[in-house]
Amino acid sequence: MPEVTRRITIARPPSVVWHQFGTQDALRRWLSSTLTIELKEGGRYRMLGADGVTWISGVVLELVPEGRLVLSWMEEDAGWEHPGRLLIELRATGDGTEVSLTHDGFAGIGTSTWQRTRDAYERGAAKHQVLERLADVVNGVG
């Protein structure tokens, strides 16, 4: 399945890292300052994407404390027929917590140009460094 994945290890336990997922205000510190979210399965959210132009909306598909946050992911006004998915997972390691961020479902968004969308997300992941912002917030830098 075509996907874009980034990983980072944060030298803190999952319980500490998860504090940055537990409330709308915490998520705003590193994911998007414009985020509005109802943090429960089935809850809706909306935010301005990291590019500062694209509005993203969807629903919380899964919320497992200290484990994972899964969101449907729809670029508004982009012609997508179906959402993609954003999956953020935390895994305890000997060094702290490995956090992975994966965008997938590109082939199912319902556009013939989904490969270009996937490529744009690959470039965006490198440019916007969302997980590095999370690490900075967890470590008290951001």
Side-chain angles (χ1 to χ4, degrees):
M1 172 187 313
E3 62 185 36
V4 174
T5 300
R6 293 292 185 270
R7 288 183 176 76
I8 193 168
T9 298
I10 301 173
R12 308 278 187 186
S15 60
V16 172
V17 175
W18 187 258
H19 283 292
Q20 300 310 317
F21 291 79
T23 68
Q24 176 176 273
D25 287 339
L27 285 163
R28 282 180 173 173
R29 285 192 277 278
W30 64 275
L31 188 57
S32 174
S33 63
T34 62
L35 177 69
T36 58
I37 189 167
E38 187 180 10
L39 265 173
K40 65 178 187 176
E41 290 185 12
R44 301 206 55 78
Y45 78 92
R46 186 170 191 250
M47 67 182 178
L48 189 59
D51 65 3
V53 177
T54 307
W55 283 95
I56 308 293
S57 60
V59 298
V60 177
L61 299 174
E62 192 174 349
L63 182 66
V64 178
E66 299 182 26
R68 70 172 54 197
L69 173 63
V70 184
L71 305 172
S72 67
W73 188 268
M74 177 75 84
E75 285 190 12
E76 297 178 6
D77 303 321
W80 293 15
E81 293 180 26
H82 308 286
R85 187 176 73 144
L86 172 66
L87 167 63
I88 305 171
E89 292 185 291
L90 281 63
R91 185 177 63 84
T93 67
D95 297 330
T97 303
E98 181 185 78
V99 183
S100 65
L101 184 150
T102 301
H103 280 283
D104 64 18
F106 295 104
I109 63 175
T111 69
S112 60
T113 59
W114 67 264
Q115 292 98 336
R116 279 187 273 174
T117 301
R118 186 238 170 249
D119 293 346
Y121 273 70
E122 186 70 47
R123 289 188 303 275
K127 178 180 179 181
H128 301 298
Q129 299 190 351
V130 172
L131 291 180
E132 288 77 4
R133 288 198 317 259
L134 170 62
D136 285 348
V137 170
V138 169
N139 291 316
V141 177

